[in-house]
């Protein structure tokens, strides 16, 4: 089977900047198991950090938003499978794809549920209960219903969609990050407890929860330094804003480093990853990277929720005092540190191994393609959304197109 695949990206992937872009490359690799004809189209501008997709034998296309030129492009390409990179892209291009290629299998990669992240952000800033009854929720759920399959990166979010919002399970696939098995040889090559020092945090600062996490660390830092006067915290992350850079203080040992050139080499220098994440959603790539590099972490329940099935590779805390206590223990106790790193390796091998997830996505897409009518037969909400005249995104896009003319 050799299917033609089109991925429409929100941005050109920058795997060194965010876990979301790293995941996109993993999806491309899985799709190449059923296709040697993969295309990636994007309306955003490339940056110096954009990955060379052509090096992966992926054909690159620049497209325009709200423009009829996309119709000619999709008609000529005539893909068998179309993957939307987040629900905003499905809103922009989904109706055009449906109009011209009605039998194409459509896949939505949610990355994480944006309405969950936004609702938690609002609740955190207003100190209120989480409320999912929002326009963002309606928009994202509508995109999920319209697509034949949506990829969900977090088990917690998958359960929310099935059990709370009653999304048909056949329209959803839980697919986390996919990692190589960590062998004993790999473990033995990594630096040990005595070869490491100091603390680190890493996170793309386009996402506000990462900035808020650094503020949490800054708030507790004076207490940590009194207990461990020589310790330093190094903060890494792409796109640091001025308010992040202003937190830099060498005298206090609170160092803002900016983007890490090589995440693996960087992580192997440190003894602990500290991430008291106050809110957010999805699966945290920083913890996957940390566990792979024998770097235990201290985080919060929301930080660990999408990965927590057994014992954690570090500590999960609910308040500042518990955070500081856990930090002191893991940083100073070699036996506890080694137990945490061992558990981190088990989490990777038991929950994220390519032996479990390596071809599940490509198989599912191929199965849907072979009998798309059967797959869609009982998806009544999908039929309603496509038949209903209330296709606001289509008419808004057409209005913008006419306005631009």
């Amino acid at each position: 089977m050799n299917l033609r695949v089109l991925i429409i990206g929100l941005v050109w992937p920058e795997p060194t900047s965010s876990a979301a872009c790293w995941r996109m490359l993993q999806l491309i690799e899985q799709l190449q198991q059923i296709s040697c004809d993969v295309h990636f189209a994007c309306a955003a501008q490339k940056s110096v950090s954009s990955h060379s997709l052509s090096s992966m034998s992926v054909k690159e296309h620049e497209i325009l938003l709200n423009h009829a030129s996309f119709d000619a492009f999709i008609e000529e390409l005539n893909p068998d499978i179309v993957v939307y990179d987040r629900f905003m892209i499905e809103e922009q291009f989904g109706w055009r794809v449906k109009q011209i290629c009605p039998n194409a299998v459509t896949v939505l990669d949610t990355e994480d549920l944006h309405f969950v992240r936004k609702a938690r952000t609002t609740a955190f800033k207003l100190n209120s209960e989480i409320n999912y009854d929002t326009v963002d929720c309606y928009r994202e759920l509508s995109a999920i219903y319209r697509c034949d399959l949506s990829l969900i990166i977090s088990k917690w979010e998958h359960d929310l969609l099935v059990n709370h919002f009653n999304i048909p399970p056949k329209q959803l696939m839980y697919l986390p990050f996919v990692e190589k098995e960590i062998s004993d040889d790999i473990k033995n090559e990594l630096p040990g407890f005595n070869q490491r020092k100091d603390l680190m945090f890493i996170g793309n600062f386009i996402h506000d929860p990462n900035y808020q996490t650094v503020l949490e660390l800054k708030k507790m830092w004076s207490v940590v330094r009194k207990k461990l006067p020589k310790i330093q915290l190094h903060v890494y992350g792409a796109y640091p804003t001025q308010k992040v850079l202003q937190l830099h203080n060498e005298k206090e040992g609170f160092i803002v480093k900016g983007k890490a050139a090589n995440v693996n080499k960087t992580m192997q220098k440190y003894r602990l990853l500290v991430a008291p994440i106050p809110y957010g959603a999805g699966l945290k790539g920083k913890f996957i990277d940390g566990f792979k590099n024998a770097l235990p972490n201290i985080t919060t329940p929301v930080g660990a929720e999408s990965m927590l099935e057994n014992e954690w590779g570090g500590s999960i805390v609910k308040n500042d005092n518990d955070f500081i206590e856990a930090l002191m223990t893991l940083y100073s106790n070699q036996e506890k540190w080694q137990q945490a790193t061992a558990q981190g390796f088990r989490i990777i091998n038991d929950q994220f191994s390519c032996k479990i997830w390596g071809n599940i996505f490509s198989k599912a897409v191929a199965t849907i393609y072979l009998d798309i009518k059967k797959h869609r037969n009982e998806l009544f909400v999908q039929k309603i959304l496509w038949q209903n005249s209330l296709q606001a995104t289509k008419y808004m896009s057409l209005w913008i197109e006419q306005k631009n003319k």
Side-chain angles (χ1 to χ4, degrees), residues 291 296-298 312-316 330 340-341 343:
F291 290 150
N297 67 71
I298 305 172
W312 188 244
S315 293
I316 300 171
L330 277 174
T341 58
Q343 182 57 24

PDB file of all heavy atoms in Angstrom, residues 291 296-298 312-316 330 340-341 343:
ATOM      1  N   PHE A 291      13.677  11.470  31.725  1.00  0.00           N
ATOM      2  CA  PHE A 291      13.766  10.046  32.063  1.00  0.00           C
ATOM      3  C   PHE A 291      14.764   9.325  31.160  1.00  0.00           C
ATOM      4  O   PHE A 291      15.498   8.443  31.604  1.00  0.00           O
ATOM      5  CB  PHE A 291      12.391   9.391  31.958  1.00  0.00           C
ATOM      6  CG  PHE A 291      11.420   9.819  33.025  1.00  0.00           C
ATOM      7  CD1 PHE A 291      10.052   9.838  32.769  1.00  0.00           C
ATOM      8  CD2 PHE A 291      11.847  10.204  34.287  1.00  0.00           C
ATOM      9  CE1 PHE A 291       9.145  10.232  33.744  1.00  0.00           C
ATOM     10  CE2 PHE A 291      10.958  10.608  35.273  1.00  0.00           C
ATOM     11  CZ  PHE A 291       9.597  10.614  34.998  1.00  0.00           C
ATOM     12  N   PRO A 296      15.915  12.626  37.147  1.00  0.00           N
ATOM     13  CA  PRO A 296      14.635  12.619  37.868  1.00  0.00           C
ATOM     14  C   PRO A 296      14.051  14.023  37.927  1.00  0.00           C
ATOM     15  O   PRO A 296      14.755  15.020  37.735  1.00  0.00           O
ATOM     16  CB  PRO A 296      15.019  12.134  39.281  1.00  0.00           C
ATOM     17  CG  PRO A 296      16.396  11.598  39.160  1.00  0.00           C
ATOM     18  CD  PRO A 296      17.046  12.311  38.014  1.00  0.00           C
ATOM     19  N   ASN A 297      12.752  14.103  38.210  1.00  0.00           N
ATOM     20  CA  ASN A 297      12.132  15.418  38.288  1.00  0.00           C
ATOM     21  C   ASN A 297      11.243  15.538  39.507  1.00  0.00           C
ATOM     22  O   ASN A 297      10.812  14.543  40.096  1.00  0.00           O
ATOM     23  CB  ASN A 297      11.339  15.725  37.014  1.00  0.00           C
ATOM     24  CG  ASN A 297      10.133  14.826  36.856  1.00  0.00           C
ATOM     25  OD1 ASN A 297       9.142  14.949  37.583  1.00  0.00           O
ATOM     26  ND2 ASN A 297      10.190  13.895  35.906  1.00  0.00           N
ATOM     27  N   ILE A 298      10.983  16.781  39.857  1.00  0.00           N
ATOM     28  CA  ILE A 298       9.986  17.106  40.885  1.00  0.00           C
ATOM     29  C   ILE A 298       8.934  17.964  40.205  1.00  0.00           C
ATOM     30  O   ILE A 298       9.242  18.999  39.624  1.00  0.00           O
ATOM     31  CB  ILE A 298      10.617  17.866  42.067  1.00  0.00           C
ATOM     32  CG1 ILE A 298      11.798  17.077  42.643  1.00  0.00           C
ATOM     33  CG2 ILE A 298       9.576  18.113  43.155  1.00  0.00           C
ATOM     34  CD1 ILE A 298      12.582  17.839  43.688  1.00  0.00           C
ATOM     35  N   TRP A 312       6.389   7.226  40.402  1.00  0.00           N
ATOM     36  CA  TRP A 312       6.950   8.303  39.586  1.00  0.00           C
ATOM     37  C   TRP A 312       8.473   8.281  39.629  1.00  0.00           C
ATOM     38  O   TRP A 312       9.074   7.855  40.629  1.00  0.00           O
ATOM     39  CB  TRP A 312       6.431   9.637  40.088  1.00  0.00           C
ATOM     40  CG  TRP A 312       6.767  10.815  39.223  1.00  0.00           C
ATOM     41  CD1 TRP A 312       7.549  11.879  39.551  1.00  0.00           C
ATOM     42  CD2 TRP A 312       6.340  11.043  37.873  1.00  0.00           C
ATOM     43  NE1 TRP A 312       7.628  12.766  38.503  1.00  0.00           N
ATOM     44  CE2 TRP A 312       6.888  12.267  37.452  1.00  0.00           C
ATOM     45  CE3 TRP A 312       5.540  10.327  36.983  1.00  0.00           C
ATOM     46  CZ2 TRP A 312       6.680  12.802  36.189  1.00  0.00           C
ATOM     47  CZ3 TRP A 312       5.318  10.850  35.717  1.00  0.00           C
ATOM     48  CH2 TRP A 312       5.884  12.069  35.336  1.00  0.00           C
ATOM     49  N   GLY A 313       9.103   8.766  38.559  1.00  0.00           N
ATOM     50  CA  GLY A 313      10.560   8.852  38.501  1.00  0.00           C
ATOM     51  C   GLY A 313      11.056  10.139  39.125  1.00  0.00           C
ATOM     52  O   GLY A 313      11.688  10.977  38.458  1.00  0.00           O
ATOM     53  N   GLY A 314      10.765  10.305  40.398  1.00  0.00           N
ATOM     54  CA  GLY A 314      11.107  11.526  41.122  1.00  0.00           C
ATOM     55  C   GLY A 314      10.092  11.741  42.212  1.00  0.00           C
ATOM     56  O   GLY A 314       9.793  10.840  42.980  1.00  0.00           O
ATOM     57  N   SER A 315       9.518  12.949  42.282  1.00  0.00           N
ATOM     58  CA  SER A 315       8.508  13.257  43.297  1.00  0.00           C
ATOM     59  C   SER A 315       7.393  14.106  42.706  1.00  0.00           C
ATOM     60  O   SER A 315       7.646  14.964  41.855  1.00  0.00           O
ATOM     61  CB  SER A 315       9.131  14.015  44.476  1.00  0.00           C
ATOM     62  OG  SER A 315      10.026  13.192  45.195  1.00  0.00           O
ATOM     63  N   ILE A 316       6.172  13.863  43.194  1.00  0.00           N
ATOM     64  CA  ILE A 316       5.012  14.677  42.833  1.00  0.00           C
ATOM     65  C   ILE A 316       4.558  15.389  44.092  1.00  0.00           C
ATOM     66  O   ILE A 316       4.274  14.740  45.105  1.00  0.00           O
ATOM     67  CB  ILE A 316       3.881  13.796  42.266  1.00  0.00           C
ATOM     68  CG1 ILE A 316       4.370  13.060  41.010  1.00  0.00           C
ATOM     69  CG2 ILE A 316       2.651  14.640  41.940  1.00  0.00           C
ATOM     70  CD1 ILE A 316       3.400  12.017  40.503  1.00  0.00           C
ATOM     71  N   LEU A 330      16.055  14.293  47.096  1.00  0.00           N
ATOM     72  CA  LEU A 330      16.539  13.736  45.837  1.00  0.00           C
ATOM     73  C   LEU A 330      17.904  14.294  45.441  1.00  0.00           C
ATOM     74  O   LEU A 330      18.706  13.588  44.827  1.00  0.00           O
ATOM     75  CB  LEU A 330      15.531  14.007  44.717  1.00  0.00           C
ATOM     76  CG  LEU A 330      14.360  13.026  44.609  1.00  0.00           C
ATOM     77  CD1 LEU A 330      13.366  13.490  43.550  1.00  0.00           C
ATOM     78  CD2 LEU A 330      14.859  11.627  44.267  1.00  0.00           C
ATOM     79  N   ALA A 340      14.938   6.731  41.663  1.00  0.00           N
ATOM     80  CA  ALA A 340      14.104   7.565  40.793  1.00  0.00           C
ATOM     81  C   ALA A 340      14.514   7.425  39.328  1.00  0.00           C
ATOM     82  O   ALA A 340      13.655   7.344  38.433  1.00  0.00           O
ATOM     83  CB  ALA A 340      14.192   9.028  41.223  1.00  0.00           C
ATOM     84  N   THR A 341      15.820   7.394  39.046  1.00  0.00           N
ATOM     85  CA  THR A 341      16.262   7.240  37.659  1.00  0.00           C
ATOM     86  C   THR A 341      15.849   5.876  37.108  1.00  0.00           C
ATOM     87  O   THR A 341      15.444   5.772  35.942  1.00  0.00           O
ATOM     88  CB  THR A 341      17.788   7.412  37.522  1.00  0.00           C
ATOM     89  OG1 THR A 341      18.458   6.454  38.356  1.00  0.00           O
ATOM     90  CG2 THR A 341      18.214   8.806  37.937  1.00  0.00           C
ATOM     91  N   GLN A 343      13.248   4.140  37.959  1.00  0.00           N
ATOM     92  CA  GLN A 343      11.814   4.191  37.677  1.00  0.00           C
ATOM     93  C   GLN A 343      11.532   4.996  36.413  1.00  0.00           C
ATOM     94  O   GLN A 343      10.624   4.661  35.640  1.00  0.00           O
ATOM     95  CB  GLN A 343      11.059   4.796  38.866  1.00  0.00           C
ATOM     96  CG  GLN A 343       9.551   4.849  38.698  1.00  0.00           C
ATOM     97  CD  GLN A 343       8.930   3.493  38.430  1.00  0.00           C
ATOM     98  OE1 GLN A 343       9.484   2.450  38.779  1.00  0.00           O
ATOM     99  NE2 GLN A 343       7.759   3.481  37.801  1.00  0.00           N
TER     100      GLN A 343
END
